[in-house]
């Protein structure tokens, strides 16, 4: 094999015989026109696909202290898991004492 190849021979070896052809003719540029796109109506927010339970609890920071109603919405069907999540959330807000009032499904 020949060791001293010309630039043209290297191009043919790397890219094939099409590298020698001139650039293809460019398509003529058309003037740009404004295209009106249809305006979509605002979408309604979809309902949650997962079931929810609303947990209502009476919570206090002190024993026999001023009670507050605490409402928590859990994304589960398990009433036990919903109650535990509600208690955990109430603990984050510095409540110590909990009394469960109700657990109801939300539509």
């Amino acid at each position: 094999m020949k060791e001293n190849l010309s630039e043209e021979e290297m191009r043919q070896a790397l890219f094939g015989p099409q590298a020698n052809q001139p650039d293809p003719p460019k398509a003529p540029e058309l003037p740009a026109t404004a295209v009106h796109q249809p305006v979509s109506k605002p979408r309604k927010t979809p309902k949650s696909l997962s079931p929810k339970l609303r947990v209502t609890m009476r919570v206090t920071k002190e024993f026999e202290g001023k009670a507050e109603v605490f409402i928590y919405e859990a994304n589960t069907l398990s009433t036990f898991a919903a109650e535990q999540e509600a208690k955990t959330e109430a603990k984050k807000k510095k409540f110590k004492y909990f009394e469960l009032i109700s657990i109801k499904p939300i539509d």
Side-chain angles (χ1 to χ4, degrees), residues 75-88:
N75 293 331
T76 182
L77 276 176
S78 170
T79 56
F80 179 74
E83 182 179 352
Q84 294 302 313
E85 289 176 20
K87 284 183 179 180
T88 303

Side-chain angles (χ1 to χ4, degrees), residues 66-102:
K66 181 181 174 187
E68 297 179 34
V69 176
F70 181 77
I71 298 173
Y72 179 77
E73 293 181 0
N75 293 331
T76 182
L77 276 176
S78 170
T79 56
F80 179 74
E83 182 179 352
Q84 294 302 313
E85 289 176 20
K87 284 183 179 180
T88 303
E89 196 65 30
K91 285 180 184 178
K92 288 181 184 177
K93 296 186 179 188
K94 308 291 185 199
F95 291 108
K96 288 185 175 180
Y97 304 99
F98 316 102
E99 179 185 345
L100 181 65
I101 297 174
S102 69

Side-chain angles (χ1 to χ4, degrees), residues 7-46:
E7 182 179 343
E8 195 62 36
E9 290 173 334
M10 285 188 224
R11 286 180 194 229
Q12 283 182 354
L14 289 173
F15 304 112
Q18 295 149 358
N20 292 339
Q21 296 179 354
D23 292 336
K26 295 181 180 177
E29 293 184 22
L30 300 175
T33 58
V35 177
H36 293 282
Q37 300 229 352
V39 178
S40 61
K41 296 178 183 177
R43 295 184 181 185
K44 295 180 182 177
T45 55

